[in-house]
Amino acid sequence: MKYTKAWLLTMLFAVMLVISITSHSNPLQAVSSVGKDTLTLITSPDYPPYEFYDTKGGDRQIVGFDIDIANTLAKELGFKLKVMESDFNGLIPALQANRADFVMAGMTPTPERQKNVDFSIIYYEAKDTIVAPKNSNLKQPKDLSGKKVGVQLGTIQEQNAQKIAQKVAGIQLKQLNKVPEVVQEIKSGRIDAAIVEDTVAKGFAQANPDLEFNVIPSEEASGSAIAFPKDSSLVEPFNKVLQQMKDKGELAKLATKWFSQNVAVDTPSSNKGGLNLDFSRILPDIPFILRGIPLTLLFTLLSVSLGLIWGTVLSLLKITGIKPLTWLANAYTSVFRGTPLLLQLALVYYATPQLTGYDISALEAGVLTFTLNSGAYMSETIRGGIQAVDKGQSEAALSMGVPYWLMMWDVILPQALKNILPALVNETIGLLKDSALVSTIGVVEILRSAQIVGANKYIYFEPLLFAGLIYYVLVMGLTFGASALERRLRQSE
Ligand code: ARG
């Protein structure tokens, strides 16, 4: 009993400690236009050589053609630059939510986008290509008849593919979040081809010799421009500097630097059937993936502790016997258990700035959602635990004049917690693994780090398998730790 309370207090203390640490220095804070002196760029770094992660030496740095240009622009205009990331289809929403000052992501101005954001002048022209396995003879749009074609969600490649599908019969589209995923789908034969911009396709074809790409002859090229929130005062100064860079040939120079080089990937293992995994290709990136661990742990610790507190409150509401409170707590639980966690996460992350004006960081949104969600689950477990404690105890305490809340805190809760420890461990394991979901809103935890490495190396399995191994080891550690704790609690009885 002594131990259970000590445990509760330690947990509380840990939460407070972590909160105070994270509020002071949160490396992943999603602040937009921090001060007047810093501009925030948001990009989708799955697009080498425009933007991708340089993972050498365990650093997580986004580099590429766009980033070089952004750096020059910021410098010329006297700003510091901060780079954030999201999936491509989250970029414009990020501008609308005022999460960033501008987007550079090889983004093409289209009429629909122009309704929502403002664009700079075009700084680079590219063409679409069809990427397909060598010898598949899928070279022109008409060859795609009856084929499955992959595109990145929310891009003009998606739109262009839809246009082609109107003319060519039987095309089935598959939209994915990231370009490397699209390429992987071709390699695994789940789609027949993909539509990808030329410079990007070139890199993937170099890294995967079993693929080839052919430019689609089309009326319009897809130029890249910078996107800003509507009526941003940055458009004009940015255009001026861009024009200067064009005139002085600086843009052309950067284009040569990034687009004509051979992509810096090691030669991939040949793809001649069989399971040819080659972990040596990700060796240099292992430190990078490992750096996701502290964040995953921090995230889990925070969500579990706060969820436990919140769950306890809810469970107490459920057993008060005060009807409206019970009803509220039950309604809450049913909503949070009745909708997907991923959906809750997206809602909290994207809706909070719009509804409250508070620019919630991805990490905060994650912790908040997971706390709200796991509180709902835990409240049921804790309620069960409380009700399982022998009635005689509360009666005895109350008859001795111990106030209700003190009796709960001192007598009932510690026993209930001890009984439900295994269930709490289950919940923690669940949260640890579900933490991978926050990768979808751009927190670079373990899964996201692995995906980044995959995108960089144009490979897929190896980093994911490695990430799986890390999760497994963490869960095992947790399991052992929990059984040790349980043993000690039993002994202290
Ligand atoms: N140019 C295309 C578009 O504007 C694709 C850009 C994709 N960019 C990226 N970073 N994934 O829709």
Side-chain angles (χ1 to χ4, degrees):
M1 195 139 114
K2 228 175 35 225
Y3 275 113
T4 329
K5 265 174 97 189
W7 183 59
L8 253 180
L9 285 177
T10 323
M11 200 90 134
L12 255 172
F13 179 72
V15 173
M16 268 143 54
L17 186 78
V18 168
I19 290 177
S20 68
I21 294 174
T22 46
S23 59
H24 284 301
S25 67
N26 180 353
L28 290 151
Q29 193 103 44
V31 223
S32 74
S33 23
V34 190
K36 285 266 173 325
D37 59 340
T38 306
L39 290 182
T40 306
L41 157 69
I42 187 160
T43 187
S44 162
D46 61 346
Y47 218 50
Y50 285 89
E51 44 264 332
F52 56 104
Y53 265 96
D54 182 8
T55 52
K56 272 190 243 79
D59 270 356
R60 50 176 67 127
Q61 219 197 350
I62 301 176
V63 297
F65 178 59
D66 282 343
I67 312 302
D68 273 3
I69 298 178
N71 271 317
T72 314
L73 286 166
K75 207 169 108 212
E76 288 291 315
L77 296 169
F79 288 103
K80 279 192 236 128
L81 187 70
K82 177 173 184 309
V83 184
M84 279 171 44
E85 67 158 304
S86 105
D87 278 353
F88 188 78
N89 61 328
L91 294 176
I92 289 188
L95 283 187
Q96 290 173 320
N98 263 318
R99 278 232 157 80
D101 299 299
F102 64 108
V103 164
M104 286 188 81
M107 187 181 275
T108 312
T110 63
E112 301 88 82
R113 288 177 185 161
Q114 264 153 346
K115 278 183 210 141
N116 298 298
V117 294
D118 284 346
F119 279 100
S120 71
I121 54 175
I122 304 276
Y123 60 84
Y124 190 75
E125 301 263 0
K127 295 188 198 73
D128 279 349
T129 73
I130 297 176
V131 178
K134 270 202 177 123
N135 311 322
S136 65
N137 256 326
L138 304 178
K139 296 187 189 313
Q140 297 172 35
K142 67 171 173 35
D143 302 333
L144 296 177
S145 167
K147 301 286 177 198
K148 288 198 193 111
V149 178
V151 286
Q152 183 178 27
L153 179 68
T155 59
I156 52 159
Q157 282 68 42
E158 180 186 5
Q159 287 177 17
N160 292 346
Q162 267 153 0
K163 271 188 219 150
I164 295 177
Q166 280 164 12
K167 289 181 224 143
V168 181
I171 295 185
Q172 208 184 318
L173 281 193
K174 180 155 187 185
Q175 291 95 335
L176 293 153
N177 276 331
K178 300 193 176 61
V179 179
E181 290 167 4
V182 177
V183 174
Q184 180 59 32
E185 288 285 88
I186 306 182
K187 291 179 56 132
S188 43
R190 248 186 243 123
I191 56 177
D192 301 293
I195 303 204
V196 179
E197 240 167 271
D198 49 3
T199 38
V200 178
K202 185 175 147 202
F204 281 97
Q206 269 171 14
N208 300 284
D210 45 340
L211 298 181
E212 63 172 10
F213 66 99
N214 288 286
V215 173
I216 306 175
S218 90
E219 318 78 66
E220 69 232 76
S222 49
S224 298
I226 307 172
F228 305 88
K230 269 253 166 268
D231 303 317
S232 162
S233 57
L234 291 173
V235 185
E236 226 178 281
F238 268 56
N239 274 340
K240 232 189 234 148
V241 181
L242 270 181
Q243 194 58 49
Q244 275 170 20
M245 291 177 72
K246 250 188 198 173
D247 296 344
K248 284 201 230 146
E250 283 174 41
L251 274 181
K253 226 188 267 162
L254 285 179
T256 330
K257 167 180 167 194
W258 290 103
F259 295 138
S260 59
Q261 67 179 1
N262 280 354
V263 215
V265 278
D266 3 43
T267 24
S269 43
S270 63
N271 222 2
K272 295 273 159 359
L275 191 64
N276 47 358
L277 294 176
D278 180 2
F279 282 94
S280 63
R281 288 184 66 195
I282 63 161
L283 268 183
D285 300 296
I286 284 184
F288 177 77
I289 301 182
L290 291 178
R291 278 184 53 182
I293 296 179
L295 198 69
T296 296
L297 289 180
L298 170 77
F299 182 85
T300 311
L301 178 71
L302 270 177
S303 310
V304 168
S305 329
L306 295 173
L308 184 59
I309 296 171
W310 180 221
T312 308
V313 172
L314 284 172
S315 68
L316 290 178
L317 292 183
K318 284 179 186 175
I319 56 168
T320 48
I322 305 172
K323 277 264 153 60
L325 290 184
T326 310
W327 186 87
L328 264 180
N330 282 335
Y332 175 92
T333 307
S334 95
V335 169
F336 275 87
R337 289 205 303 190
T339 52
L341 181 53
L342 188 55
L343 180 145
Q344 294 164 13
L345 183 66
L347 275 184
V348 170
Y349 183 60
Y350 290 106
T352 304
Q354 238 161 50
L355 293 181
T356 66
Y358 175 64
D359 180 16
I360 194 167
S361 76
L363 192 64
E364 287 164 351
V367 171
L368 180 61
T369 315
F370 278 60
T371 300
L372 294 177
N373 183 282
S374 88
Y377 282 92
M378 289 207 222
S379 70
E380 280 300 285
T381 315
I382 300 171
R383 183 179 61 85
I386 293 176
Q387 286 170 341
V389 176
D390 178 24
K391 266 239 156 58
Q393 301 215 18
S394 53
E395 279 161 10
L398 288 176
S399 72
M400 275 158 57
V402 181
Y404 181 80
W405 293 111
L406 194 62
M407 178 273 295
M408 266 294 167
W409 174 253
D410 242 20
V411 182
I412 308 293
L413 271 183
Q415 297 187 58
L417 277 180
K418 188 154 66 182
N419 290 338
I420 60 169
L421 193 64
L424 289 183
V425 173
N426 262 343
E427 180 68 22
T428 314
I429 292 178
L431 279 174
L432 176 74
K433 289 180 298 171
D434 285 346
S435 69
L437 288 177
V438 294
S439 63
T440 58
I441 53 173
V443 179
V444 188
E445 38 63 77
I446 300 170
L447 178 62
R448 184 74 169 182
S449 314
Q451 287 172 334
I452 289 169
V453 169
N456 269 347
K457 296 280 160 101
Y458 305 92
I459 51 174
Y460 211 79
F461 296 128
E462 290 87 343
L464 282 190
L465 282 177
F466 185 67
L469 179 72
I470 300 179
Y471 281 111
Y472 187 72
V473 170
L474 291 181
V475 169
M476 283 301 117
L478 201 77
T479 315
F480 283 126
S483 18
L485 178 69
E486 214 180 314
R487 264 198 308 279
R488 284 185 61 182
L489 287 179
R490 296 256 169 274
Q491 279 160 13
S492 75
E493 253 168 23

